[in-house]
Amino acid sequence: MLLAPETIADFNQQHLDSHRRKLAYWTDEVGAAETIIEKLIAFQIAIPSWALGTGGTRFGRFGGGGEPRNLDEKIADVGLLHALNRSSGAISLHIPWDIPTDPEATRQLAAHYGLRFDAVNSNTFQDQPTGQAHSYKFGSLQHTDAAVRRQAIEHNIEVIRHGVALGSDSLTVWLSDGSCFPGQLNFRKAFDRTLDSLQQIYAALPDAWKLFVEYKAFEPNFYSMTVGDWGSSLLYATKLGPKAYTLVDLGHHLPNANIEQIVAILLHEGKLGGFHFNDSKYGDDDLTAGSIKPYQLFLIFNELVDGMDARGMDHATGLGWMIDASHNVKDPLEDLLQSVDAIQMAYAQALLVDRAALEEARETNDVVQAQELLQDAFRTDVRPLVAEANRRAGGALNPLALFRRQNVRRQLISERGLKTVATGL
Amino acid sequence: MLLAPETIADFNQQHLDSHRRKLAYWTDEVGAAETIIEKLIAFQIAIPSWALGTGGTRFGRFGGGGEPRNLDEKIADVGLLHALNRSSGAISLHIPWDIPTDPEATRQLAAHYGLRFDAVNSNTFQDQPTGQAHSYKFGSLQHTDAAVRRQAIEHNIEVIRHGVALGSDSLTVWLSDGSCFPGQLNFRKAFDRTLDSLQQIYAALPDAWKLFVEYKAFEPNFYSMTVGDWGSSLLYATKLGPKAYTLVDLGHHLPNANIEQIVAILLHEGKLGGFHFNDSKYGDDDLTAGSIKPYQLFLIFNELVDGMDARGMDHATGLGWMIDASHNVKDPLEDLLQSVDAIQMAYAQALLVDRAALEEARETNDVVQAQELLQDAFRTDVRPLVAEANRRAGGALNPLALFRRQNVRRQLISERGLKTVATGL
Amino acid sequence: MLLAPETIADFNQQHLDSHRRKLAYWTDEVGAAETIIEKLIAFQIAIPSWALGTGGTRFGRFGGGGEPRNLDEKIADVGLLHALNRSSGAISLHIPWDIPTDPEATRQLAAHYGLRFDAVNSNTFQDQPTGQAHSYKFGSLQHTDAAVRRQAIEHNIEVIRHGVALGSDSLTVWLSDGSCFPGQLNFRKAFDRTLDSLQQIYAALPDAWKLFVEYKAFEPNFYSMTVGDWGSSLLYATKLGPKAYTLVDLGHHLPNANIEQIVAILLHEGKLGGFHFNDSKYGDDDLTAGSIKPYQLFLIFNELVDGMDARGMDHATGLGWMIDASHNVKDPLEDLLQSVDAIQMAYAQALLVDRAALEEARETNDVVQAQELLQDAFRTDVRPLVAEANRRAGGALNPLALFRRQNVRRQLISERGLKTVATGL
Amino acid sequence: MLLAPETIADFNQQHLDSHRRKLAYWTDEVGAAETIIEKLIAFQIAIPSWALGTGGTRFGRFGGGGEPRNLDEKIADVGLLHALNRSSGAISLHIPWDIPTDPEATRQLAAHYGLRFDAVNSNTFQDQPTGQAHSYKFGSLQHTDAAVRRQAIEHNIEVIRHGVALGSDSLTVWLSDGSCFPGQLNFRKAFDRTLDSLQQIYAALPDAWKLFVEYKAFEPNFYSMTVGDWGSSLLYATKLGPKAYTLVDLGHHLPNANIEQIVAILLHEGKLGGFHFNDSKYGDDDLTAGSIKPYQLFLIFNELVDGMDARGMDHATGLGWMIDASHNVKDPLEDLLQSVDAIQMAYAQALLVDRAALEEARETNDVVQAQELLQDAFRTDVRPLVAEANRRAGGALNPLALFRRQNVRRQLISERGLKTVATGL
């Protein structure tokens, strides 16, 4: 379905008075409002193609209705989100779930919605029902059998080819490789085999491309993961070369990890490549960004803004930004709107931080003042800024409210049916 | 497939000399050997019907071959395990995965293998493809909609009926009920609704039956679980009445929980009902019992033996003993043999502990000596005792070795095919 | 040192215009402002006497200057905090660190500052340098030696006597009792001995008093804690009787625990007695309230408000509210001002939640809307409300800013010296 | 006190028959016994000078009696341990707690007991009561103030000088540097300042020396640690140069970390320098090695043996081996005897692993068999081997039993008094 610009304009018109009042108060009190709004407009978060349907757990999946049935409908869904918030202007594909049969047409369809193609993602953590000679039951790039490794390497190279055809410029490699039991793996050999496989993929990377090495502490392997933490990922990325980077997924850490410090160190090393946003309480829970630990999300953005500025990186394009969540009990599109909203707020709050004062407090070990400065930014209600940025870019003042008022889900169900399953879910 | 007694006898004969030498050394050094062997023979661990096929994660499932295709084949598999180790003499069914069409025939089939029916398990954590009016997407016994609760209650009562027909005498209720996001649930109302539903199930319980209330800290709900820890479970069980008990699954705790202390307290309160054995490093990893933390398994048995003796409970029948594991990367039957083996060893070691000396060390706060006493038992190689118990009961000295020598899996594949999927997997 | 009312009035006068502007915007947009301000004024958080000096770890302590040298100076410090924020109108004493030699004079001194005496705290986790016959090395109320238990029981009864003399009406018992090694404790006997000891203390409790049984997952014992979780504490409290309650300290849980759910259940059982506020990332880190997980603090208050309202409890007096933090690297008084501030905000935000709409969203399983409602409240900048409540009650619009402008710490150092150590630190 | 060789010989004589019987059975069944005994004899674990007295927590310390009062007595205590087990032939000093006034005499005293000096340890996590110009309250090598950093650097260089005088050849730098609150630190600058400081220390390192960079996840800083994980430590060590290595302390990780994999990767990178042994359940609990997770200890040794062999490293000298534990509730010397014993067993079991078979199982993804091979080794009772190694080297068959029979603690108390406090405790 399409959302006519007039629908958005009508909606905004109805809420404009209240919005202007809130915004005016804001701009009166905070000088940096205009700069922040501009940066918010430029900031785009990619939506992964697999996040448009309801996720599940090993215990079951409770699908919603009207889920996209093919790549075109996935693109349409992201287009709808982007029309609403003007901040989801990219889509990240997963191969083989989303192989475009006519890349040029797919590219044009995306362009029609104002979308570009973000990182492409390979999949060697599952066996495909057809056309796969070897099983990944015991790993892919780490596998003891060279034939399995070869198959996984070639799959990654094929993913790059698809990405090139669509105008993507990066490959994300998330490996579930690891072991479930002590003794199962020779850790050294698994490391070496994985590195060798990655090197072959790296060799196939086009010049301007980046390779993102994603790490994860546990699941689906429950004893060891071969790319298990940022230290491992950085080792691989460093040995691979300048086009290889570490990718941080917020849910991929051991309990209590200080993710913002990891982000700062990786940025400082010039090896942070991208981000998968979600939130979690126990493991890779894949909950809506900002739904569990919003202050942590802010602290991460605080490091991102600070670290990117220190290296002169452009916030919008310097790193890959993507949501990676699961929506087991929410409408996937509503969940994504909430996630983008939370990310925009965390970014706006990070931009609000008085960095000169913060550095001064740090230099004098004024811990109380340093905390006050961060919390001043975090406690500020930045919703009017985010709404204004969305509005100026052509989106809705309140994307979620408009989504609901337009009965989007009901329309999608009537178009697509109640029992649909997106590929990859 | 069946394992002829002569096959086992042949196998044992070949290893008898070596075994006798080890055992003789053992009985020379340790007086209690005979008593321990007898208790090991009496000790039986139930096999759940869903553990006979390869498990999976939300990221995929890598099936093995020759998996059972129906309830009869599941019973045959447990029968095979029991023939090998004479310690798996019970099977635990999951409804609706394993509804017997002819209960009397099913009962006879089980009896033929020397198996009895342990606790029956209800399933309200998934929607069934057919014949289910309401969805459990937002819970079952906790649901805000009385019609959903009614459906879930009736399902549990139906499970009891199936259990009665098979000669089972207990119902295990594991609820995935909970919430994924702050705000989703009114915790108080969810508690009250769940209690009310459980009370209705409890009311349908035959006189000699037990109701096991299983708790779990997280997954598949990732913010709150309505029966989330032993404290909650005990509250429910106490409010329900004398036939309700807490069931402990080793993988259902927060990181670093002291499970053996929980076991001791529940036993002391007279409210420990049963056990699900598995092992884990991160969450409900469902790994082979004893594969990650064998000392913890021993410490748990140490409390079980001590606490059951203190209450005059029979070790073999006082509590429900069951394995609950997943075998993502192992042959399920081999995994189960390893699990039973590990449980037998932990039990044997716990029986070895010099309890009089231990109590004396405790009374005098001789921490060093208390540790020495436990570790003396744990460091003792009890494999000859377990082998002897299996042998005397008619099983194999080394069940896993015989399983492999007989090429059981290859036979199962040739009988059942390479691509089979057990119901419930 | 004393803070003259005129000083506060002057300070407020200077910031009044800006404050009124913010508040006006607020009261224009939110109807409930007046009610919230009144509740904030009534809400008082007790300051523990041991939190007025710099804390330390086992690796060292880096004292600040001007710390209180005796009970009178501790009361003066709390009086100063209360003068600044009018929300710290109670002090919680720790015996034997703060034994008043002249209780009546102490009481009058406190009254002079507008302070009452909150729960008194016993200490059986340390050996005192003088006057103690038995050591608590191996526990106190759980000890195998009846003479040690008797000493600990009598100490608690003595603490009650001191509390009675000061007008306190509750006793908090935090036990470090537990074990460091497997085998050290007979869990059952430790439970029974502890219960028996608590029963003797309970028997000495005056009629209108409450006994708070505090639990803690680990530290200083590193294998088991005899009152280790809310389940244990509730068991003790229930067996003790109607005057016994569970006390929740935010830092006393295993990783990832859902504390807000625990709070809801305990309140629902009528057994939540009180709260120790602090924040933490790893264990009992005793950091400033709201400094690490402010959303969690809000979610806890959300349950507190909801649960107390459901039972018709008065927010200000229904439970015991206390800070328990350590300030290793902050000025203790500044840290306490930040903590009270954060608690007030979380309380104000919880009061803001649209409960009718929330219950409606819950009843219809509208998870997205339920989250929106909580986050609407949390994202609201309630600082003007807290400032107004402080101002109306006679305190400063910004207590921390005034504390700094008055150079309070410098004055305290000049009065008390640079190297002072508060008793109990 | 000294333990006469005849005392040991007498003791061994009394237990020789029983020991020989056990050993004979052992050597009959396992071919590798002789090799393992020889390696055990060569394997020495250093005792840190601060581990000879009772440790404590921030809540208190319950001293034992007869604790060493000075460096000479500490050396005597290690000498006693070494006489008992012939496996503690090194001592690790902590400066400034153990500054030798006459290094040559100290060296001779140690040599008299058959001890060498292992790594020397600096201390910039505490302020010393005298002679320290600047405070480490806000860090040492990371400090914003160059003068503080300079002081800390010079202290480390002084520690090297002491080490040279004693014949040590490595420096362990454990930093408590970090932050307690979000905002407190600029992570990048803290990293750079720490690196710069370490480089200055590195520059002062004698040619044959090693610098060990120890990491720790949390405590005493509770928000961030500047050398917080193996990834950070490896970054520092790599930037420093070939003489810098990572040091692993078993208690310094986040919950559920796979330490054996970390060990394998660091060894593979040629950057593992040494080990601090202890055990823990929650954090840096500093419990007796092998008392909580003995299988983990074995798995770590399994990687150590495998990884060292792969690099042709000598087990005894290739890495630094040290105990670092706290003994809050045990006699420190007994605790150390238990720790050394547990380490010896884990090492012996790791030597028992059939590595050729293990590699074959791994190559064929025979997960079940790989687990069997590891557990075969772990389940083997290696106590006769450890006893024999101790005996052949001149130690006692059962060091702890002899320690108790000789009433060593009572003698130490009578020599040194009941209330003694070792420096550094």
Side-chain angles (χ1 to χ4, degrees), chain A residues 205-364:
Chain A
L205 216 58
D207 274 357
W209 273 52
K210 293 179 179 174
L211 173 64
F212 298 144
V213 182
E214 188 171 357
Y215 62 89
K216 185 171 185 181
F218 60 96
E219 195 212 21
N221 270 298
F222 294 116
Y223 172 62
S224 75
M225 295 286 278
T226 296
V227 191
D229 56 13
W230 75 269
S232 297
S233 171
L234 181 60
L235 262 184
Y236 287 109
T238 304
K239 289 173 195 287
L240 285 171
K243 294 190 284 186
Y245 296 86
T246 292
L247 185 138
V248 176
D249 181 300
L250 296 186
H252 289 192
H253 300 82
L254 291 176
N256 304 338
N258 187 325
I259 303 175
E260 50 269 32
Q261 185 184 20
I262 293 172
V263 165
I265 294 177
L266 286 171
L267 254 175
H268 194 38
E269 288 291 309
K271 278 299 199 183
L272 182 64
F275 246 83
H276 282 184
F277 291 109
N278 51 57
D279 211 336
S280 57
K281 190 166 174 64
Y282 305 100
D284 190 26
D285 308 340
D286 279 336
L287 304 177
T288 319
S291 65
I292 302 290
K293 301 172 193 152
Y295 193 50
Q296 185 194 56
L297 186 61
F298 160 74
L299 293 173
I300 289 168
F301 265 100
N302 183 50
E303 294 304 326
L304 286 168
V305 165
D306 193 57
M308 293 180 85
D309 287 352
R311 299 181 71 82
M313 294 163 78
D314 181 76
H315 294 183
T317 61
L319 296 175
W321 310 107
M322 193 177 92
I323 289 171
D324 188 2
S326 193
H327 344 296
N328 296 340
V329 295
K330 286 180 177 175
D331 180 309
L333 298 182
E334 293 190 355
D335 192 337
L336 289 162
L337 289 174
Q338 287 187 309
S339 280
V340 172
D341 196 36
I343 293 165
Q344 288 181 293
M345 280 187 235
Y347 178 42
Q349 289 166 332
L351 290 170
L352 261 180
V353 171
D354 183 340
R355 299 209 170 272
L358 182 60
E359 286 310 311
E360 195 188 320
R362 286 165 168 178
E363 285 301 314
T364 55

Side-chain angles (χ1 to χ4, degrees), chain B residues 30-45:
Chain B
V30 182
E34 214 34 57
T35 319
I36 295 175
I37 291 169
E38 277 162 31
K39 293 195 178 186
L40 283 169
I41 292 172
F43 197 75
Q44 300 294 318
I45 300 131

